[in-house]
Amino acid sequence: MASVLTIRGGVPLTGQVTVRGAKNLVPKAMVAALLGSDASVLRNVPEIKDVDVVTSLLRLHGVEVVKDPATGDLRLDPTKVKTAQMKDIDAHAGDSRIPILFCGPLIHAIGEAFIPDLGGCKIGDRPIDYHLEVLRQFGAVVDKREGGISISAPRGLKGAKVSLPYPSVGATEQVLLTATKAEGITELSGAAIEPEIMDLIAVLQKMGAIITVQTDRVIRIEGVQDLTGFNHRALPDRNEAASWASAALVTQGDIYVEGARQGDLMAFLNTYRKVGGSFDINDDGIRFYHTGRKLSPLVLETDVHPGFMTDWQQPLVVGLTQAQGVSIVHETVYENRFGFTEALVRMGANIQLHRECLGSVPCRFGQRNFLHSAVISGATQLKGAEIHIPDLRGGFSHLIAALAATGNSRVTGIDIINRGYEHFLSKLEALGADFDAA
């Protein structure tokens, strides 16, 4: 994997890319396989770092993970699950935030779990307090140790009434993976209902779980004693699809994204059209393209599903630097998601960050001194620069800014993009991007 790119900008991206299973679902479905009494098969699996990390962690715990070289499908057999050595688990500290989701399934399987210090993109606090509190409500005992956390349940896990103060995707996943085999009934209010959550529920239902999604973000889980394996095709990655759509917009290109689904992208498609981008929807994908007309500014607020997803914000902000007029973006999900704009300003963008909530969506950050609103004045010509990638979506945003800029850009730290974008260098090459990798 290259770590440095030299990009020669000004070339429209044109052609076709394919998106496979969602980064925000596939690793979680792999963890769910721990709950089964026999093997599971997961299809449409992308080759990304998070999949590699979870594969390693599962193997450490005795799960046999076999990849079909022809299809890329994974077969996950948990019948010999065991306790892993703490030092081996700890070797994965900082690689991913997925290990926290191993807790419930491992406690059900072997009675205990050890979770190393967690990594992930530096886009906000993203505390694991929700997770630990959820596990305690199920009867788990949490013991903080040097380098990580040990979790057990001497009396077993019991159903609970859980209310989340914020519809956290991770905490909702924690409840689902823990409650399916917990004794009794669990009621989760304030749940996240993202498409990836619904797909995880579909996986668990195939295994034998009884899960009801009610109105007003309430999910009810009736615990069962045993679950079987599953056979499931992961939903496509809507975040990658939206990223390529923004790349087409920013570079004045034309990209067909095979695998993109309209139903998962409704809020994004509405905003894309408002800005001035265009799209054609087919059964097997969506074509995204720049019409040649001037782009329009807008006021945008991120929100939990079914709102405009926070992961769509960063690539689209690059597009707004090319819109004629003033745009306002209010980030309500992660407090530090605008750190990537510093590089855009050095490239010539006119972006001002504010601590105030410049929008109407209720926000947790308005009184906490975070720069979580952005005012973008355009259109501005972007120029090549030295760029270091800060996080996954911000990094992709820097790449498309460099591809649209005049002159050359040197981009370092691109390894992180491998966490969520499968074969992105070969995809860039297929779309006609002009770059050298080292």
Side-chain angles (χ1 to χ4, degrees):
M1 183 67 187
S3 59
V4 181
L5 286 186
T6 300
I7 296 175
R8 292 170 286 277
V11 179
L13 298 184
T14 59
Q16 177 174 321
V17 296
T18 299
V19 295
R20 292 207 286 176
K23 168 186 173 290
N24 288 345
L25 176 277
V26 169
K28 291 75 178 284
M30 293 172 67
V31 174
L34 278 167
L35 295 163
S37 59
D38 52 7
S40 295
V41 175
L42 184 59
R43 294 175 285 119
N44 201 30
V45 176
E47 294 183 0
I48 56 175
K49 186 177 180 182
D50 275 10
V51 169
D52 295 339
V53 169
V54 176
T55 296
S56 297
L57 287 169
L58 287 172
R59 285 173 174 162
L60 286 175
H61 286 93
V63 178
E64 182 183 65
V65 183
V66 179
K67 180 179 178 180
D68 186 317
T71 64
D73 298 348
L74 292 182
R75 184 179 185 275
L76 307 111
D77 186 348
T79 54
K80 296 181 180 178
V81 63
K82 64 180 182 180
T83 300
Q85 294 296 315
M86 189 179 298
K87 61 179 176 58
D88 294 331
I89 300 174
D90 195 51
H92 293 276
D95 280 347
S96 172
R97 301 184 67 85
I98 302 299
I100 190 66
L101 296 178
F102 275 67
C103 295
L106 282 176
I107 292 171
H108 285 305
I110 57 177
E112 62 181 349
F114 176 77
I115 307 303
D117 290 333
L118 300 177
C121 295
K122 307 303 182 185
I123 55 177
D125 193 24
R126 303 175 81 175
I128 64 169
D129 295 352
Y130 284 179
H131 294 269
L132 300 181
E133 179 56 33
V134 162
L135 291 164
R136 289 189 182 101
Q137 289 183 59
F138 281 97
V141 176
V142 178
D143 181 18
K144 294 186 178 181
R145 300 182 184 177
E146 184 177 352
I149 302 167
S150 177
I151 304 172
S152 60
R155 299 181 181 179
L157 295 171
K158 312 291 185 181
K161 200 160 188 174
V162 181
S163 179
L164 299 180
Y166 181 79
S168 161
V169 169
T172 299
E173 293 164 341
Q174 187 71 261
V175 171
L176 290 170
L177 291 167
T178 303
T180 48
K181 291 182 71 174
E183 181 183 338
I185 294 173
T186 296
E187 183 179 277
L188 171 63
S189 58
I193 55 171
E194 270 69 7
E196 295 81 10
I197 291 288
M198 303 310 293
D199 212 37
L200 180 60
I201 291 174
V203 167
L204 294 169
Q205 187 179 60
K206 288 179 177 180
M207 300 178 77
I210 301 173
I211 303 172
T212 305
V213 181
Q214 301 175 340
T215 57
D216 300 327
R217 296 185 178 274
V218 175
I219 298 177
R220 190 172 187 270
I221 306 110
E222 299 179 38
V224 298
Q225 211 164 30
D226 297 300
L227 296 174
T228 64
F230 62 82
N231 188 312
H232 187 76
R233 179 180 176 83
L235 84 168
D237 196 312
R238 62 193 176 120
N239 296 333
E240 183 180 358
S243 294
W244 290 116
S246 292
L249 190 72
V250 173
T251 66
Q252 301 185 37
D254 188 331
I255 301 175
Y256 185 79
V257 183
E258 183 182 28
R261 301 196 311 195
Q262 179 185 12
D264 300 333
L265 291 162
M266 297 291 282
F268 177 82
L269 294 174
N270 287 335
T271 301
Y272 197 77
R273 179 169 280 162
K274 289 178 183 179
V275 173
S278 194
F279 52 87
D280 299 329
I281 299 169
N282 295 327
D283 289 342
D284 64 351
I286 303 176
R287 174 194 174 202
F288 296 96
Y289 57 97
H290 192 293
T291 63
R293 297 190 295 270
K294 291 181 179 180
L295 301 183
S296 302
L298 51 71
V299 175
L300 176 65
E301 297 182 84
T302 65
D303 204 352
V304 295
H305 186 78
F308 191 92
M309 191 174 183
T310 180
D311 285 350
W312 300 336
Q313 173 257 110
Q314 290 167 293
L316 191 66
V317 161
V318 186
L320 294 178
T321 68
Q322 304 307 299
Q324 299 287 329
V326 177
S327 296
I328 297 174
V329 179
H330 179 210
E331 171 62 48
T332 74
V333 179
Y334 291 130
E335 64 269 28
N336 289 327
R337 196 133 214 184
F338 284 123
F340 80 104
T341 61
E342 185 272 335
L344 299 183
V345 170
R346 286 193 288 106
M347 297 177 77
N350 187 344
I351 302 174
Q352 295 179 325
L353 302 182
H354 297 267
R355 293 177 173 83
E356 295 77 18
C357 295
L358 302 182
S360 59
V361 173
C363 178
R364 298 169 292 158
F365 312 133
Q367 306 302 317
R368 295 173 59 193
N369 212 31
F370 294 116
L371 294 169
H372 69 292
S373 293
V375 177
I376 304 133
S377 302
T380 54
Q381 176 62 60
L382 300 177
K383 300 176 182 178
E386 292 272 338
I387 303 168
H388 183 74
I389 286 178
D391 61 76
L392 181 60
R393 307 301 172 191
F396 193 92
S397 305
H398 290 160
L399 285 177
I400 61 177
L403 289 164
T406 59
N408 296 350
S409 294
R410 185 175 182 272
V411 186
T412 58
I414 66 166
D415 310 63
I416 197 170
I417 304 240
N418 192 42
R419 281 192 55 227
Y421 293 92
E422 181 186 43
H423 304 154
F424 82 96
L425 288 182
S426 60
K427 289 178 181 179
L428 284 178
E429 188 173 13
L431 293 171
D434 188 2
F435 69 92
D436 295 320

